[in-house]
Amino acid sequence: KQEVTQIPAALSVPEGENLVLNCSFTDSAIYNLQWFRQDPGKGLTSLLLIQSSQREQTSGRLNASLDKSSGRSTLYIAASQPGDSATYLCAVNSGNTGKLIFGQGTTLQVKP
Amino acid sequence: NAGVTQTPKFQVLKTGQSMTLQCAQDMNHNSMYWYRQDPGMGLRLIYYSASEGTTDKGEVPNGYNVSRLNKREFSLRLESAAPSQTSVYFCASTRAPLGVQADKNIQYFGAGTRLSVL
């Protein structure tokens, strides 16, 4: 059974710092991995999707990497800003129906 | 283009009452999903519909039923609500669950329904 773990559960950094969020999964047979952002009381917003054949994806200050063999993905946020404060979730798609298995998320606080 | 719309946004039920959570998407997506989010448990899949006319159980289907009314709408029904069903419920959709084009696989989420069962 696929399990997804995110460490740390919470992170607090000063504004401007570069940071890395970690995601690990137990079964390397995945189709894709998605990173989402969730603001308090809101729904999820997709940030990046990495196909199983890809090693990384970039969008603005965000860069996500994927290492299937080791069962790991990282989300790199450059030059963090207070507006980046949110919960970041990674989710793995292991089947052909789009069912996602989520990690429990990392709650990020960027202090001005 | 509203994306994924969920109604209601908030609901309080008494144990044993029934209700239906509504979800509609206007992106012509094929697949739709219902998740619940609980503190410390993350999001877990309740039911999904890979395409119009099909539905299947997810990880935590007990106590729920679903209907894929048409391509746009996917509803979740609680027949006899229990306190354990207190949660935040999210509906999501995607154009295609898999494919070469990554943007077709992205799941889009609604704003959620916050349900309390007393």
Side-chain angles (χ1 to χ4, degrees):
Chain A
K1 177 184 175 184
Q2 179 74 268
E3 293 182 359
V4 181
T5 303
Q6 291 185 248
I7 295 173
L11 182 63
S12 181
V13 301
E15 182 177 4
E17 192 163 296
N18 302 325
L19 59 100
V20 174
L21 307 181
N22 297 296
C23 173
S24 61
F25 46 95
T26 55
D27 186 348
S28 62
I30 66 170
Y31 287 94
N32 59 54
L33 183 146
Q34 299 182 46
W35 283 93
F36 294 89
R37 168 183 173 141
Q38 185 176 29
D39 293 292
K42 305 291 186 182
L44 281 69
T45 301
S46 180
L47 297 173
L48 290 164
L49 182 151
I50 309 177
Q51 301 281 35
S52 61
S53 58
Q54 297 175 319
R55 294 300 299 267
E56 66 179 275
Q57 280 284 340
T58 298
S59 176
R61 294 182 293 108
L62 305 180
N63 176 277
S65 68
L66 175 64
D67 184 343
K68 273 199 341 176
S69 61
S70 66
R72 294 180 182 178
S73 176
T74 62
L75 179 66
Y76 175 83
I77 303 177
S80 59
Q81 303 170 358
D84 294 330
S85 298
T87 296
Y88 292 82
L89 297 140
C90 76
V92 168
N93 181 358
S94 296
N96 61 358
T97 55
K99 294 186 290 183
L100 294 179
I101 305 297
F102 281 85
Q104 295 188 13
T106 295
T107 299
L108 172 66
Q109 181 183 32
V110 181
K111 296 180 178 179
Chain B
N1 191 338
V4 179
T5 303
Q6 292 184 236
T7 56
K9 288 183 169 49
F10 301 93
Q11 185 71 48
V12 178
L13 293 177
K14 295 181 179 178
T15 297
Q17 288 185 318
S18 62
M19 78 162 295
T20 299
L21 282 65
Q22 307 287 353
C23 175
Q25 50 88 12
D26 61 2
M27 297 175 282
N28 198 34
H29 284 175
N30 294 301
S31 301
M32 298 184 73
Y33 310 84
W34 276 105
Y35 297 89
R36 61 179 288 174
Q37 185 175 34
D38 303 291
M41 301 293 292
L43 278 91
R44 293 178 292 169
L45 183 67
I46 305 171
Y47 270 93
Y48 67 99
S49 172
S51 61
E52 186 179 358
T54 69
T55 61
D56 282 290
K57 296 178 181 179
E59 184 183 357
V60 287
N62 291 344
Y64 305 95
N65 286 300
V66 291
S67 296
R68 183 75 183 264
L69 304 171
N70 47 56
K71 191 171 185 180
R72 290 186 64 248
E73 299 173 285
F74 188 38
S75 63
L76 178 71
R77 182 161 179 83
L78 287 69
E79 290 291 351
S80 179
S84 61
Q85 295 178 305
T86 294
S87 187
V88 182
Y89 292 85
F90 289 102
C91 177
S93 71
T94 184
R95 177 175 294 279
L98 293 176
V100 175
Q101 291 178 257
D103 62 334
K104 291 186 176 180
N105 308 149
I106 293 172
Q107 285 198 16
Y108 294 85
F109 281 73
T113 295
R114 283 146 187 83
L115 175 67
S116 293
V117 182
L118 305 178

